[in-house]
Amino acid sequence: MKKILCYGDSNVWGYITGGSRFAESVRWPGLLGQKLGEDYQVIEEGLNGRNTGVEEPGMPGLNGYDTLPAVLAQHGLLDKVILMLGTNDLSDHLGRSASDIVNSMESLIRCIQQTVVPFPQIILVSPPRILDFALQAGFSAAPEKLPALRQGYRELAERYQGLYLDAAIICTGYAEDGVHLDPLSHSQLAEALFGLIKAS
């Protein structure tokens, strides 16, 4: 059986505005597992607020680099790792540049490369769009950073012989907060990843 680890933030976890969670049958990792069938095990490791590699004052456990080794140790050999992180890094209060985020993402990839042997295929998913009204609620600089972030993720995928998917193109449905994916986008993302995996 092939194992695929999905490591990310609230859009992996399946966050619903207000704090609840979509059912496994709605979340994109669950849908991806259904599409791939019994020959695959799709493992969800999403956490609300997780970023690529910085500390959140007063909120321990959200540094994606610090928590990744334990996650990798828990699951052992892996065939693919889907990394969907970067949205929280774009928040104004963290003040991170696109290059900061890309460098942190590369550190995550290197951690996987050094920990899991043989090195699993990496699939990088760049952040979905952040709707206009959400920009004024803590993501005002995101639009100017996203193009460079997407390009950086694409280049990382090429450098490490992985795959790349731009969630901003794939996903069209958003929750009322303008940041989180709705069921339509979870379905669209699962379908796009399924096609990418089957073609690889």
Side-chain angles (χ1 to χ4, degrees):
M1 177 179 290
K2 296 182 178 180
K3 292 169 64 175
I4 301 175
L5 173 67
C6 305
Y7 188 71
D9 53 26
S10 53
N11 279 325
V12 174
W13 191 80
Y15 181 86
I16 302 174
T17 305
S20 56
R21 187 184 193 188
F22 287 121
E24 183 179 359
S25 59
V26 176
R27 302 191 299 265
W28 68 259
L31 291 172
L32 178 61
Q34 292 175 26
K35 292 176 181 296
L36 289 170
E38 61 184 14
D39 292 335
Y40 288 81
Q41 178 188 6
V42 177
I43 303 162
E44 293 185 57
E45 284 288 353
L47 179 65
N48 298 333
R50 178 180 282 151
N51 61 62
T52 58
V54 292
E55 297 299 325
E56 284 273 11
M59 301 177 70
L62 300 184
N63 183 324
Y65 182 79
D66 286 351
T67 56
L68 181 58
V71 170
L72 296 175
Q74 178 182 355
H75 297 297
L77 294 178
L78 298 163
D79 294 279
K80 301 180 190 295
V81 178
I82 301 173
L83 296 171
M84 187 177 180
L85 284 168
T87 296
N88 292 306
D89 298 77
L90 291 167
S91 63
D92 294 337
H93 77 277
L94 287 181
R96 309 198 79 200
S97 67
S99 62
D100 290 336
I101 302 168
V102 172
N103 288 339
S104 288
M105 179 59 80
E106 184 167 19
S107 294
L108 293 175
I109 296 172
R110 287 178 174 171
C111 177
I112 297 167
Q113 188 178 44
Q114 294 164 6
T115 305
V116 184
V117 180
F119 181 40
Q121 184 179 50
I122 301 297
I123 302 176
L124 290 184
V125 181
S126 58
R129 290 184 301 124
I130 298 173
L131 301 189
D132 290 347
F133 64 86
L135 299 178
Q136 306 309 314
F139 291 91
S140 63
E144 64 189 58
K145 297 176 183 178
L146 273 170
L149 181 60
R150 293 177 184 126
Q151 181 61 29
Y153 278 20
R154 184 180 292 106
E155 291 173 358
L156 280 180
E158 293 174 357
R159 187 178 309 155
Y160 289 91
Q161 299 181 320
L163 302 172
Y164 170 75
L165 189 68
D166 186 349
I169 295 175
I170 300 300
C171 301
T172 62
Y174 292 81
E176 61 188 33
D177 60 22
V179 177
H180 294 99
L181 304 179
D182 71 0
L184 171 62
S185 280
H186 277 274
S187 177
Q188 291 170 329
L189 192 54
E191 185 65 36
L193 285 165
F194 171 74
L196 199 63
I197 291 167
K198 296 304 287 185
S200 63

